[in-house]
C-alpha cells in the first residue's frame, strides 16, 4: 500500500467538506528578498519600514501577493494536485497585513461541484481562508479548478455557488492605523493620486519580462506549490511545463508599478481568469484599466478598482471579435487597491 499522497480526484469532494491544509509556514525577510529578485516589485510600502511607519503601520508588511501565494500553495496538495486547470477567482479579501515572523495556515471549504459533460473531469469551488499564528484571518478568497476524475462513477448533483461580481467598496478592510496624510510621493516614485485617475482610463505599463523555466519553478517551489503541471514535462501532451498562474499575476502586478506606483496595497480580488496558458520563452507585458474609484474611512486613503491584464501582445487588447479572450492575453484580474486620495 502506497504511503504517498496521490491527491484528491473529483469524486473526493463533497459540498460542505472542510479541508485543513498542511504545512504551517513562517514568513521571513527571505520571502521578500526572493520575491523582489523574481519580480520587478518596487512598492515603497513593501520596501521600507520607515515609509510604512510614516503611513501608520508598525513596519513594512510583506507584499500582499506573498500572502496570497503562500496560502494558495498550502491548498494545492488537497485541491489542485490533480487539476487540469485553475479556472478563476472571486470574492477575495485581504483582512490583515502579514509581517515577517508571522506563521500562516490555511483551511478550505468545498462550496460547489459540477461534473463536466465529458465525464472525465469536473469543476470544484472552494473558499480558502489563511490565518496567522494568533488565529486572525489574513486572507479569504474563492477559486475554482477543473479536476480529473478517478473513474467512471456517477455524477454528483451539481451545486454552483452564487458569487458576487465585485467586492463592495464598503466591505474593503483598511489596515488599522493606515493613513496617507503624510505620504511621501517622491519616495514612492510617482505623484499620481486617486484624483488623477479616471474610470475607463487605460494605462500601458510599457516594460516586459521574458519568462524563464528556472525562475517560474523556483517561484512555485518557494510557495510550496506541488502541482505536477508546473514541474513535470510529461504531464502535458506537448511536453511543456505550465507556468504557475501566480507567477504571471506577480509579474503583471510588479510591472504595473510604472503608472500605478501609489496603488500600494491590494485589499480585494473581485475576479480573475487565466485566459491562456503561459510557457517559458513568452514575454509578459501588462496594462491596466481603471474600473472604479472610491473613498474609505481612513485619512487620505482611497480605493481604486483595476483590471490588470497580462499579455504577450498590445495594451488595450482583451477580446477578439468573437467575444473570447485574445490569444495573446494570459491573465485578466480585477482587484481593489488602496491609494492616496
Amino acid at each position: 500500500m502506497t504511503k504517498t499522497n496521490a491527491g484528491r480526484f473529483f469524486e473526493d469532494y463533497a459540498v460542505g467538506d472542510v479541508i485543513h491544509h498542511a504545512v504551517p509556514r513562517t514568513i521571513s525577510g527571505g520571502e521578500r528578498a526572493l520575491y523582489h529578485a523574481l519580480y520587478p516589485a518596487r512598492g515603497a510600502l513593501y520596501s521600507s519600514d520607515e515609509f510604512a511607519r510614516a503611513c501608520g503601520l508598525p513596519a513594512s508588511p510583506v507584499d500582499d501577493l506573498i500572502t496570497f501565494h503562500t496560502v494558495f500553495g498550502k491548498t494545492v496538495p488537497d485541491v489542485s494536485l490533480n487539476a487540469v486547470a485553475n479556472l478563476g477567482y472571486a470574492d477575495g479579501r485581504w483582512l490583515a497585513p502579514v509581517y515577517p515572523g508571522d506563521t500562516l495556515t490555511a483551511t478550505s471549504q468545498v462550496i460547489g461541484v459540477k461534473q463536466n459533460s465529458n465525464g472525465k473531469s469536473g469543476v470544484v469551488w472552494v473558499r480558502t481562508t489563511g490565518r496567522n499564528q494568533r488565529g486572525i484571518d489574513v486572507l479569504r478568497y474563492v477559486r475554482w479548478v477543473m479536476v480529473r476524475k478517478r473513474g467512471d462513477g456517477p455524477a454528483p448533483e451539481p451545486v454552483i455557488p452564487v458569487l458576487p461580481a465585485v467586492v463592495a467598496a464598503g466591505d474593503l478592510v483598511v489596515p488599522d492605523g493606515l493613513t496617507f496624510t503624510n505620504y511621501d510621493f517622491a519616495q514612492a516614485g510617482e505623484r499620481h493620486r486617486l484624483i488623477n485617475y479616471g474610470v475607463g482610463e487605460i494605462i500601458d505599463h510599457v516594460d516586459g519580462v521574458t519568462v524563464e523555466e528556472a525562475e517560474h519553478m523556483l517561484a512555485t517551489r518557494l510557495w510550496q506549490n506541488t502541482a505536477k503541471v508546473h514541474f513535470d514535462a510529461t504531464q502535458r501532451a506537448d511536453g511543456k511545463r505550465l507556468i504557475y498562474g501566480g507567477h504571471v499575476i506577480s509579474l503583471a502586478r510588479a510591472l504595473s508599478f510604472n503608472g500605478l506606483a501609489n496603488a500600494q496595497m491590494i485589499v480585494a480580488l473581485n475576479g480573475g481568469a487565466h485566459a491562456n496558458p503561459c510557457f517559458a520563452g513568452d514575454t509578459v507585458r501588462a496594462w491596466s484599466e481603471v474600473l472604479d474609484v472610491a473613498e474609505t474611512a481612513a485619512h487620505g486613503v482611497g480605493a481604486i478598482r483595476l483590471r490588470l491584464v497580462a499579455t504577450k501582445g498590445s495594451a488595450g487588447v482583451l477580446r477578439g471579435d468573437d467575444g473570447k479572450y485574445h490569444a495573446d492575453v494570459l491573465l485578466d484580474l480585477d482587484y481593489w487597491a488602496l491609494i492616496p486620495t
Side-chain angles (χ1 to χ4, degrees):
M1 180 177 178
T2 182
K3 292 183 173 63
T4 58
N5 174 25
R8 296 183 182 218
F9 292 86
F10 180 70
E11 299 94 322
D12 299 322
Y13 299 94
V15 173
D17 285 352
V18 176
I19 305 168
H20 297 273
H21 305 294
V23 171
R25 177 73 175 262
T26 299
I27 304 298
S28 73
E31 277 83 358
R32 172 181 288 157
L34 273 172
Y35 188 88
H36 287 204
L38 289 163
Y39 311 110
R42 291 179 285 161
L45 199 69
Y46 301 104
S47 299
S48 166
D49 285 341
E50 295 307 315
F51 189 94
R53 290 187 187 110
C55 293
L57 300 180
S60 176
V62 299
D63 294 68
D64 305 303
L65 290 175
I66 290 179
T67 301
F68 178 79
H69 296 325
T70 301
V71 171
F72 185 101
K74 302 295 98 192
T75 72
V76 169
D78 299 309
V79 174
S80 49
L81 192 64
N82 293 309
V84 178
N86 186 47
L87 299 177
Y89 312 95
D91 198 22
R93 291 196 299 159
W94 279 255
L95 303 170
V98 171
Y99 296 94
D102 283 346
T103 297
L104 301 184
T105 57
T107 59
S108 295
Q109 183 174 25
V110 180
I111 61 172
V113 293
K114 181 181 183 296
Q115 182 168 303
N116 290 329
S117 58
N118 62 14
K120 297 180 179 180
S121 62
V123 179
V124 178
W125 286 261
V126 297
R127 186 182 301 277
T128 295
T129 302
R131 297 182 178 88
N132 65 20
Q133 69 278 13
R134 294 181 296 278
I136 297 171
D137 294 352
V138 299
L139 173 68
R140 187 178 302 122
Y141 65 92
V142 172
R143 72 166 170 137
W144 50 103
V145 296
M146 188 185 303
V147 183
R148 294 180 178 89
K149 287 190 69 176
R150 179 184 290 106
D152 298 321
E157 189 69 24
V159 176
I160 301 175
V162 178
L163 300 170
V166 61
V167 176
D171 292 333
L172 302 177
V173 176
V174 178
D176 290 342
L178 184 72
T179 175
F180 288 154
T181 52
N182 296 314
Y183 191 87
D184 191 324
F185 288 89
Q187 288 192 348
E190 286 182 350
R191 301 206 61 81
H192 311 309
R193 56 176 75 226
L194 186 65
I195 59 173
N196 299 127
Y197 294 93
V199 174
E201 180 179 356
I202 300 292
I203 305 164
D204 183 354
H205 303 304
V206 180
D207 296 328
V209 174
T210 301
V211 177
E212 303 290 348
E213 202 80 86
E215 289 178 349
H216 93 84
M217 289 195 292
L218 176 64
T220 310
R221 289 193 182 100
L222 176 62
W223 318 123
Q224 298 177 326
N225 181 332
T226 58
K228 300 172 185 177
V229 292
H230 305 315
F231 303 104
D232 184 348
T234 68
Q235 290 293 308
R236 290 177 54 91
D238 58 14
K240 294 181 179 180
R241 299 176 184 90
L242 185 67
I243 303 300
Y244 165 45
H247 191 64
V248 178
I249 292 174
S250 281
L251 277 176
R253 164 67 171 164
L255 289 170
S256 75
F257 178 90
N258 186 9
L260 286 166
N262 297 317
Q264 289 286 356
M265 303 191 81
I266 300 176
V267 286
L269 178 59
N270 300 307
H274 296 288
N276 288 290
C278 182
F279 301 104
D282 289 345
T283 297
V284 177
R285 305 183 188 279
W287 58 273
S288 294
E289 179 185 2
V290 180
L291 300 178
D292 200 0
V293 293
E295 301 285 339
T296 77
H299 295 300
V301 180
I304 185 168
R305 182 183 166 203
L306 298 160
R307 160 176 275 148
L308 174 62
V309 177
T311 181
K312 296 182 290 182
S314 302
V317 177
L318 185 65
R319 299 182 186 273
D321 294 337
D322 58 1
K324 296 180 180 179
Y325 283 113
H326 190 280
D328 283 340
V329 173
L330 303 171
L331 170 75
D332 180 11
L333 199 72
D334 179 339
Y335 71 100
W336 283 101
L338 300 181
I339 187 171
T341 56

